[in-house]
């Protein structure tokens, strides 16, 4: 079990959830820090249950639909708190296909390279707009002892990442348009 384990434990530390609710949380509140699909979450829940880090109760929804509501155990809380309080090394640079394309883009015409950069800029600008829209929930900024404050900090990091990426892409486009090679 890797980092996904701690993401699930952290969500369950905040409140009891079904597998479906966990999947929705990864697609919303954890979107800027960790991604996981339901095909990853359910096997991880099974392992966490077997390891005694979470447990579940069967809840009846409607007249016959059974769903498992997961709860973090004391052992799970202890592991989560150990992980949260341990400093971690900076991860190696993530693989980013676009930067690899750009690295080899000398084989393209200037216009093709600018088009590649512009496409990436448009995507980043849309992501930034979406982030800013989702950040309206942080008006005002939550109190620093509230779990929502930490959510705000992660959101702020996402906004700043996208702002910097847009600035970098705009500068790359400017350089491609205006740079004159030395004679």
């Amino acid at each position: 079990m890797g980092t996904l384990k701690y993401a699930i434990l952290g969500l369950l530390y905040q409140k009891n959830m079904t597998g479906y609710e966990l999947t929705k949380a990864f697609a919303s509140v954890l979107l800027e820090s960790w991604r996981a699909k339901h095909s990853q979450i359910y096997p991880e829940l099974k392992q966490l249950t077997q390891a005694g880090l979470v447990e579940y109760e069967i809840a009846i929804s409607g007249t016959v639909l059974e769903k498992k509501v997961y709860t973090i155990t004391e052992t799970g809380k202890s592991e989560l708190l150990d992980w949260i309080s341990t400093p971690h090394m900076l991860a190696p640079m993530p693989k980013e296909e676009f930067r690899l394309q750009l690295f080899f883009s000398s084989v393209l015409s200037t216009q093709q390279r600018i088009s590649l950069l512009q496409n990436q800029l448009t995507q980043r600008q849309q992501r930034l707009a979406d982030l800013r829209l989702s950040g309206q929930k942080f008006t005002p900024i939550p109190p620093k002892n509230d779990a929502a404050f930490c959510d705000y900090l992660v959101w702020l990091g996402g906004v700043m990442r996208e702002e910097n990426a847009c600035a970098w892409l705009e500068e790359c486009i400017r350089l491609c348009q205006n740079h004159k090679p030395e004679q």
Side-chain angles (χ1 to χ4, degrees):
M1 289 183 278
T3 307
L4 177 58
K5 159 186 170 176
Y6 298 109
I8 292 171
L9 290 175
L11 288 168
L12 293 177
Y13 190 85
Q14 292 179 343
K15 72 176 196 172
N16 300 342
M17 294 187 197
T18 64
Y20 175 73
E21 290 168 330
L22 285 164
T23 301
K24 285 177 46 179
F26 275 95
S28 58
V29 295
L30 289 186
L31 186 61
E32 281 305 307
S33 55
W34 205 259
R35 297 186 195 275
K37 300 175 189 170
H38 74 281
S39 60
Q40 297 168 291
I41 294 168
Y42 286 96
E44 192 76 22
L45 281 169
K46 184 177 181 179
Q47 289 180 3
L48 291 170
T49 301
Q50 290 171 345
L53 302 176
V54 302
E55 55 193 18
Y56 63 86
E57 290 183 5
I58 302 290
I60 304 295
S61 179
T63 56
V64 290
L65 182 64
E66 290 184 359
K67 58 184 179 180
K68 295 177 181 176
V69 179
Y70 291 90
T71 306
I72 190 170
T73 64
E74 288 303 316
T75 304
K77 286 178 184 178
S78 177
E79 275 205 39
L80 176 66
L81 294 175
D82 285 347
W83 177 77
I84 291 171
S85 62
T86 302
H88 293 274
M89 297 299 296
L90 184 64
M93 289 300 298
K95 296 176 184 175
E96 193 174 325
E97 190 172 354
F98 170 73
R99 287 179 189 253
L100 187 60
Q101 282 180 299
L102 185 58
F103 183 82
F104 291 114
S105 70
S106 62
V107 300
L108 300 176
S109 70
T110 299
Q111 197 51 47
Q112 287 174 309
R113 186 177 309 119
I114 290 171
S115 178
L116 191 69
L117 288 159
Q118 187 60 54
N119 177 278
Q120 190 71 195
L121 176 59
T122 300
Q123 290 180 61
R124 293 287 190 155
Q125 288 169 330
Q126 183 59 56
R127 186 180 289 167
L128 180 57
D130 292 344
L131 274 168
R132 286 183 173 146
L133 184 63
S134 73
Q136 291 176 354
K137 65 184 176 186
F138 298 120
T139 304
I141 297 172
K144 67 180 178 182
N145 294 332
D146 190 320
F149 180 73
C150 296
D151 186 9
Y152 169 78
L153 295 176
V154 172
W155 170 84
L156 182 61
V159 168
M160 293 178 80
R161 178 195 63 229
E162 295 307 322
E163 287 173 341
N164 286 324
C166 288
W168 169 68
L169 289 162
E170 289 166 349
E171 179 64 9
C172 289
I173 291 168
R174 188 193 67 73
L175 286 169
C176 287
Q177 291 170 334
N178 300 326
H179 182 67
K180 304 277 191 254
E182 289 185 26
Q183 300 273 343

